[in-house]
């Protein structure tokens, strides 16, 4: 029997964290499940490789994982038994300024607040209750639009989360506190004056206070490998080097789940959908892209402020005004001459990433979707401002513009690593306006990528929710995996 003639209960197209998560939920329910991956290596955006010099292991896509360690779904799985080990830096994220000052996100709300001086009380007032309620907030926030399990907690969170971060920061007086919030909100890849940019900052910071911002030992590939190992232990199958161009490339199954964006889904299965649904997918909007650099370094990055050496992630961009101006320029289709840069220094905490005495660096900045501009010089200039002598340490570099990023992972349309713009119009209503955004107009086809709620990030929640819908709709089954919240199983 040929591979295409073999029948399965369910097939998942794409082996990113969401595709693997969907496969796990389906296999856990006792179904025969096949995952198809177009590349030779599984993982989607969680892959690692020697991009620069031998012995230097770089994360090609995601690097630091605040949402992975705190994911209610991942925490329900025995991934540590399948080789996944997280390393948690003392400081989750640092935000250095040219004058040598720095704001930091630490595990303790009190300690983070103390380092913000006169803004200490305001910081504690904002975050203490959010962090305390995070175990009940997380399942409601990391899912589709529905009646929440804890409506009062979610409503209180929403009062701040819906604000533009430029409004939220008005409760702070210091450039350090304002810059810290702005750097977090810039993960949204939106103008900081947009509604809901505060939500991104609050979620990332609450996750950091609860679980830190960890990195996987050995590289981000370890997350994909652990998910795949657990999936296979449940009887699941994975085939790599299988590019799905049309429905003819997929074995017969009662349900097919796509860990793909709307553009790819239309190309493969557009003829299966109603005209209304096709139109909604065609109107789906993609966000800005990124330009990425990986460095092989002759030593650790020489930060002006020693606290930066304790941080896994750094946000480089300076003041609130500087970051806001740069992100607005990108949204307007222009390049910033002082880009906001996200930088990770994994080898400081994971010696498996580089030869002894050497180090790696990982960074990107935002650019307009589809831009092929070379941002190498501007990114390195931003690092040099807060780490003089950085350029002298560079042994080799590897760069990717938006076209190269999309070629590496076709889910990253135009360099958009978030699965689509995540503004107020596509926060929960992605990819379509629906109470069940994972179901398509074709009863047996589903979408489980970051183009569905809750969007981008390595958390597996899109795959988890999509698989639950498929189990109910296509198989009449009740999902068995319950979400984990701080030591106990929560109602699924």
């Amino acid at each position: 029997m040929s591979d295409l003639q073999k029948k399965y209960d369910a097939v998942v197209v794409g082996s990113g964290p969401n595709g693997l998560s969907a496969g796990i939920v389906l296999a856990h329910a006792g179904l025969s499940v096949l995952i198809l991956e177009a590349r030779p290596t599984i993982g989607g955006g969680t892959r690692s490789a020697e991009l620069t010099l031998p012995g230097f292991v770089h994360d090609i896509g995601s690097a630091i994982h605040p949402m992975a360690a705190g994911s209610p779904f991942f925490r329900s799985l025995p991934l540590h038994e399948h080789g996944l080990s997280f390393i948690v830096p003392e400081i989750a994220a640092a935000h250095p300024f040219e004058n040598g000052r720095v704001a930091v996100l630490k595990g303790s709300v009190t300690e983070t607040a103390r380092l913000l001086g006169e803004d200490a009380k305001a910081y504690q007032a904002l975050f203490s209750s959010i962090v305390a309620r995070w175990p009940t907030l997380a399942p409601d926030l990391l899912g589709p639009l529905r009646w929440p399990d804890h409506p009062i907690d979610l409503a209180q969170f929403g009062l701040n989360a819906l604000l533009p971060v430029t409004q939220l920061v008005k409760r702070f007086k210091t450039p350090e506190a304002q810059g810290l919030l702005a750097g977090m909100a810039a993960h949204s890849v939106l103008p900081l004056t947009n509604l809901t940019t505060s939500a991104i900052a609050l979620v990332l910071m609450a996750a950091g206070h609860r679980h830190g911002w960890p990195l996987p030992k050995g590289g981000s590939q370890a997350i994909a490998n652990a998910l795949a190992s657990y999936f296979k232990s449940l009887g699941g199958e994975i085939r790599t080097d299988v590019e799905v161009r049309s429905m003819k490339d997929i074995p017969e199954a009662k349900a097919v789940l796509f860990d793909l964006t709307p553009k790819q889904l239309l190309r493969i299965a557009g003829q299966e959908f109603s005209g209304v649904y096709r139109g909604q997918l065609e109107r789906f909007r993609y966000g800005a892209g990124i330009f990425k650099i990986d460095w092989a370094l002759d030593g650790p990055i020489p930060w002006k402020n020693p606290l930066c050496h304790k941080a896994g992630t750094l946000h480089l961009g300076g003041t609130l005004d500087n970051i806001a101006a740069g992100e607005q320029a990108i949204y307007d289709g222009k390049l910033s001459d002082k880009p906001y840069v996200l930088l990770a220094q994994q080898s400081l905490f994971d010696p498996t990433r580089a030869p002894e005495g050497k180090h790696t660096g990982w960074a990107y900045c935002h650019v307009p979707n589809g831009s092929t501009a070379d941002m190498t010089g501007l990114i390195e200039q931003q690092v040099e401002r807060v780490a003089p002598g950085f350029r002298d340490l560079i042994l080799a570099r590897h760069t990717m513009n938006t076209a190269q990023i999309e070629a590496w992972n076709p889910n990253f349309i135009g360099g958009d690593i978030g699965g689509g713009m995540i503004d107020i119009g596509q926060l929960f209503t992605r990819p379509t306006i629906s109470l069940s955004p994972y179901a398509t107009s074709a009863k047996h086809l589903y979408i489980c990528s970051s183009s569905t709620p809750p969007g981008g990030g390595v958390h597996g929640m899109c795959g988890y929710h999509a698989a639950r819908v498929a189990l109910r709709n296509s198989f009449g089954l009740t999902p068995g995996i319950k979400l984990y919240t701080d030591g106990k199983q929560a109602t699924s």
Side-chain angles (χ1 to χ4, degrees):
M1 179 182 293
S2 70
D3 287 343
L4 284 179
Q5 289 177 321
K6 185 176 179 180
K7 296 181 181 180
Y8 294 86
D9 292 319
V11 173
V12 179
V13 179
S15 70
N18 284 311
L20 290 166
S21 296
I24 287 170
V25 173
L26 296 166
H28 188 273
L31 303 181
S32 59
V33 186
L34 170 68
I35 294 178
L36 299 176
E37 170 55 49
R39 298 294 184 256
T41 307
I42 63 165
T46 53
R47 286 179 279 170
S48 308
E50 294 182 348
L51 298 176
T52 55
L53 299 172
F56 290 83
V57 178
H58 303 278
D59 292 325
I60 313 173
S62 60
I64 305 294
H65 299 91
M67 303 311 297
S71 165
F73 178 62
F74 285 176
R75 287 169 67 81
S76 72
L77 308 178
L79 298 182
H80 62 285
E81 297 176 8
H82 293 264
L84 181 59
S85 175
F86 279 119
I87 299 168
V88 184
E90 177 183 337
I91 292 175
H95 190 110
F97 296 81
E98 285 189 62
N99 62 8
R101 299 291 296 274
V102 64
V104 299
L105 176 71
K106 303 192 77 173
S108 164
V109 173
T110 301
E111 183 64 11
T112 300
R114 185 185 67 79
L115 294 172
L116 292 174
E118 63 179 310
D119 280 324
K121 288 185 179 179
Y123 188 89
Q124 282 198 295
L126 176 60
F127 279 100
S128 292
S129 60
I130 293 174
V131 172
R133 297 195 304 267
W134 185 248
T136 56
L137 277 170
D140 285 334
L141 290 171
L142 300 178
L145 186 63
R146 58 182 173 85
W147 183 255
D149 292 331
H150 300 88
I152 296 176
D153 287 350
L154 190 62
Q156 291 175 340
F157 175 83
L159 290 174
N160 291 313
L162 290 175
L163 293 173
V165 79
T166 49
Q167 292 295 317
L168 184 67
V169 299
K170 288 183 177 180
R171 67 184 63 197
F172 299 112
K173 299 176 181 178
T174 64
E176 289 78 20
Q178 292 181 349
L180 181 64
L181 268 290
M184 297 291 174
H187 281 257
S188 67
V189 203
L190 292 170
L192 302 192
T193 53
N194 275 31
L195 293 172
T196 72
T197 46
S198 290
I200 305 300
L202 296 176
V203 167
L204 288 173
M205 296 175 81
H209 284 312
R210 293 293 304 198
H211 307 291
W213 282 19
L215 54 133
K217 184 178 181 180
S220 292
Q221 184 74 52
I223 296 176
N225 290 348
L227 288 168
S229 175
Y230 182 57
F231 170 68
K232 290 178 181 178
S233 76
L234 298 173
E237 297 180 40
I238 298 177
R239 293 186 207 151
T240 56
D241 290 306
V242 179
E243 184 173 358
V244 175
R245 297 183 179 89
S246 73
M247 293 300 295
K248 295 178 181 179
D249 298 322
I250 302 173
E252 184 178 341
K254 295 179 182 177
V256 181
L257 289 80
F258 295 90
D259 185 8
L260 304 175
T261 74
K263 182 178 180 179
Q264 298 144 289
L265 184 58
L266 281 168
R267 185 174 65 246
I268 293 169
Q271 72 282 356
E272 303 282 335
F273 303 138
S274 69
V276 171
Y277 187 76
R278 276 199 309 273
Q280 288 181 304
L281 292 186
E282 289 166 353
R283 291 190 292 274
F284 186 78
R285 293 171 293 120
Y286 293 91
I290 67 166
F291 180 92
K292 180 174 179 286
I293 303 182
D294 289 282
W295 295 287
L297 302 173
D298 200 26
I301 299 174
W303 304 107
K304 287 182 182 179
N305 193 303
L307 284 176
C308 293
H309 294 282
K310 299 179 180 181
T313 301
L314 294 102
H315 295 156
L316 314 182
T319 65
L320 164 68
D321 289 343
N322 289 342
I323 297 173
E327 293 304 288
Q328 182 65 55
I330 302 305
Y331 187 78
D332 293 339
K334 304 172 184 177
L335 295 171
S336 172
D337 59 356
K338 291 184 178 180
Y340 162 75
V341 174
L342 289 94
L343 185 147
Q345 46 186 9
Q346 302 96 312
S347 60
L348 277 183
F349 312 96
D350 182 1
T352 69
R353 305 294 188 98
E356 186 175 357
K358 310 299 180 184
H359 285 277
T360 61
W362 174 106
Y364 71 79
C365 73
H366 300 145
V367 296
N369 190 286
S371 170
T372 56
D374 186 344
M375 300 294 287
T376 302
L378 291 173
I379 289 177
E380 292 181 354
Q381 183 175 289
Q382 288 292 76
V383 181
E384 191 78 20
R385 283 193 172 99
V386 288
F390 165 74
R391 287 192 184 100
D392 297 334
L393 296 174
I394 298 173
L395 300 173
R397 65 172 66 84
H398 177 274
T399 66
M400 290 196 295
N401 62 28
T402 62
Q404 292 163 326
I405 287 168
E406 184 176 346
W408 172 70
N409 187 340
N411 264 9
F412 296 161
I413 306 295
D416 175 2
I417 60 175
M421 191 175 290
I422 195 161
D423 60 5
I424 189 76
Q426 290 190 167
L427 184 61
F428 286 106
T429 54
R430 55 195 287 126
T432 63
I433 299 174
S434 171
L435 292 176
S436 183
Y438 313 99
T440 72
S441 62
K443 291 184 178 180
H444 65 299
L445 303 183
Y446 303 85
I447 181 169
C448 65
S449 71
S450 59
S451 296
T452 64
V458 179
H459 44 62
M461 295 298 292
C462 307
Y464 166 80
H465 288 296
R468 283 168 51 83
V469 172
L471 284 175
R472 286 195 299 266
N473 292 0
S474 292
F475 301 96
L477 297 175
T478 301
I481 295 181
K482 308 295 183 181
L483 293 183
Y484 180 103
T485 62
D486 279 19
K488 59 183 179 181
Q489 300 289 343
T491 303
S492 64

